[in-house]
Amino acid sequence: MSGRERFNRMLRREAQDCIPRGDSHWDETITRWRSEGMTDAALEFIGYDFQPTMWSEPRPFPGQDMTVAEDEFTRTFRDQYDNLTKYWKHKSGTPEHTGFGCQTREDWYKVYKPKLLEAWPFADPTVCRDYWTLGRRNGRWTFHCALETFELARRQVGDETFLIALIDDPEWAVDISQTMTDLVLKDFDNLVRHGIDTDGVWIFGDMAYRRGPFCSPAMYRKYVWPDHKRLADWAHEHNLPFIFHTDGDVNSILPDYIDAGFDCLQPLEAKAGMDVREMAPKYGKRLAMFGNIDVMVMATNDKERIEEEVRSKLEAGMATLGYAYHSDHSVPPTVSWDTYRFVIEMVDKYGNYD
């Protein structure tokens, strides 16, 4: 069975030979693994059943990258959202946002919204076709990929400004959300016009942390959910399944995700209290699940603990036929190459339906 067949059958809860799979890793993780003997050929044994074709991320100043300060360890620059962002120079990590260009309703309507509308399109059909062709040639499940409205709004104006606007000026907050969603859907429509026929839609956006969503479930449902539903509706109108990525604890809004038409949720962050062993019996008939293998357990490099983590979660997910392997977050460099090979061996051992 090809990765494409396997992934489609998983999303439809049909019989598969084994669970679909893929993963993500920190750059430093790959560096460590290479030092421990991993080769490109060895990495192939992990297996990837999916292939992105495009990335839609509406930004008012595409390509902007102006250094404003730097030292031995960090660099601060004005980015494509017109924000001041600080990154480590020699290692991966979460960026520090030190200033946001768009801070008020007036900023949005006078400068940033017009610039966003002028900057479209954000996905190049020629590049997308190349990735789509590569994915199909390799038998992988291909998908349109984009950031969702909550993540885009936070990137444009900052968490504090957007979350306060949801309370004090919801009309402005909703306009940001709707504008960003309109632009993503325009990108999708443009690719359809260019004949790029993918297998699904996969939307990314982190709208929660380890204690719950960044806003209340009621506020999410009223102001953000309608645009999430528009994204899912677009997918279904084009006969495509819809996958949603978010970190954090979203247990409290899972029913809203299902009502919006989400077909699959990823990566189910175990560190934030997401657990496929609890979710699958409750939601498994309506929501496929993708991930949840705890990288903190992997990082113990304790093979007995890792085997139980993989075995118990695969067993729960596979009972629904709607489960795919992924770590619950990017695999960190604290996980050795020997350990990760063992993880995949356990996926092979417990992830077969035959």
Side-chain angles (χ1 to χ4, degrees):
M1 214 176 260
S2 69
R4 184 185 181 204
E5 292 171 321
R6 192 174 293 125
F7 218 97
N8 277 326
R9 293 178 73 87
M10 180 276 289
L11 289 166
R12 295 193 298 261
R13 314 298 195 285
E14 296 174 355
Q16 309 136 51
D17 54 352
C18 62
I19 60 172
R21 66 190 187 191
D23 222 334
S24 55
H25 322 85
W26 290 100
D27 291 342
E28 289 87 350
T29 307
I30 299 298
T31 299
R32 173 180 177 171
W33 291 352
R34 291 191 189 285
S35 75
E36 295 173 342
M38 184 202 78
T39 64
D40 289 340
L43 190 60
E44 280 298 312
F45 95 101
I46 295 171
Y48 288 87
D49 287 327
F50 50 84
Q51 170 75 53
T53 60
M54 57 88 79
W55 180 253
S56 178
E57 181 182 351
R59 295 140 294 159
F61 299 95
Q64 180 168 272
D65 182 1
M66 298 185 298
T67 299
V68 298
E70 62 182 320
D71 55 32
E72 182 181 356
F73 303 106
T74 65
R75 171 176 173 261
T76 300
F77 61 99
R78 189 166 292 281
D79 65 18
Q80 299 177 73
Y81 292 93
D82 209 31
N83 302 331
L84 293 177
T85 304
K86 180 188 286 188
Y87 271 100
W88 294 107
K89 282 185 173 180
H90 309 298
K91 64 178 181 179
S92 303
T94 303
E96 179 184 359
H97 300 288
T98 61
F100 292 88
C102 184
Q103 284 288 277
T104 67
R105 166 188 276 267
E106 184 177 20
D107 293 337
W108 170 251
Y109 285 106
K110 285 192 173 182
V111 178
Y112 293 90
K113 182 175 180 177
K115 285 291 185 182
L116 277 163
L117 298 178
E118 290 172 10
W120 184 86
F122 300 99
D124 183 338
T126 301
V127 174
C128 297
R129 181 175 294 280
D130 289 343
Y131 281 112
W132 174 74
T133 301
L134 176 65
R136 284 293 170 87
R137 182 186 306 132
N138 292 323
R140 291 173 176 164
W141 191 82
T142 61
F143 57 93
H144 291 322
C145 189
L147 286 180
E148 54 79 39
T149 177
F150 196 86
E151 180 74 20
L152 285 165
R154 291 167 54 231
R155 292 190 182 199
Q156 183 63 75
V157 303
D159 295 87
E160 184 176 356
T161 296
F162 183 64
L163 293 172
I164 290 174
L166 284 172
I167 300 170
D168 291 343
D169 194 353
E171 181 182 352
W172 173 38
V174 167
D175 190 63
I176 296 173
S177 176
Q178 291 178 345
T179 299
M180 296 295 194
T181 304
D182 288 345
L183 291 168
V184 168
L185 293 178
K186 281 185 69 177
D187 267 343
F188 288 174
D189 285 335
N190 193 37
L191 297 185
V192 170
R193 284 194 295 271
H194 282 81
I196 300 172
D197 178 25
T198 61
D199 299 302
V201 173
W202 190 340
I203 300 295
F204 286 73
D206 294 336
M207 58 170 299
Y209 71 123
R210 65 185 181 88
R211 298 195 179 193
F214 290 128
C215 65
S216 71
M219 187 170 287
Y220 165 68
R221 180 80 183 207
K222 185 173 183 179
Y223 298 125
V224 179
W225 182 87
D227 285 320
H228 283 175
K229 188 175 187 304
R230 283 207 292 149
L231 291 166
D233 285 348
W234 186 95
H236 296 152
E237 286 163 7
H238 292 80
N239 298 312
L240 301 174
F242 183 87
I243 300 176
F244 189 77
H245 164 102
T246 179
D247 293 341
D249 179 359
V250 291
N251 282 294
S252 63
I253 52 178
L254 284 178
D256 295 314
Y257 285 173
I258 292 170
D259 285 349
F262 293 9
D263 298 299
C264 182
L265 188 64
Q266 184 271 345
L268 311 176
E269 190 174 5
K271 300 179 294 299
M274 306 297 291
D275 193 327
V276 69
R277 293 167 296 195
E278 299 174 1
M279 296 167 60
K282 188 174 182 179
Y283 299 109
K285 291 183 179 180
R286 295 174 291 166
L287 185 69
M289 298 172 194
F290 186 3
N292 200 227
I293 305 303
D294 193 344
V295 296
M296 300 303 289
V297 174
M298 289 188 201
T300 66
N301 297 298
D302 180 331
K303 292 184 177 180
E304 185 174 338
R305 286 188 62 189
I306 291 167
E307 180 170 4
E308 178 58 19
E309 173 75 8
V310 174
R311 184 205 63 77
S312 63
K313 290 185 174 177
L314 265 58
E315 180 182 81
M318 291 170 66
T320 71
L321 294 179
Y323 178 78
Y325 164 79
H326 197 285
S327 58
D328 79 319
H329 205 284
S330 298
V331 180
T334 46
V335 178
S336 72
W337 174 233
D338 180 65
T339 292
Y340 194 70
R341 285 189 299 167
F342 180 76
V343 171
I344 300 304
E345 288 169 6
M346 294 302 98
V347 174
D348 287 339
K349 178 178 180 179
Y350 295 109
N352 292 306
Y353 285 101
D354 296 337

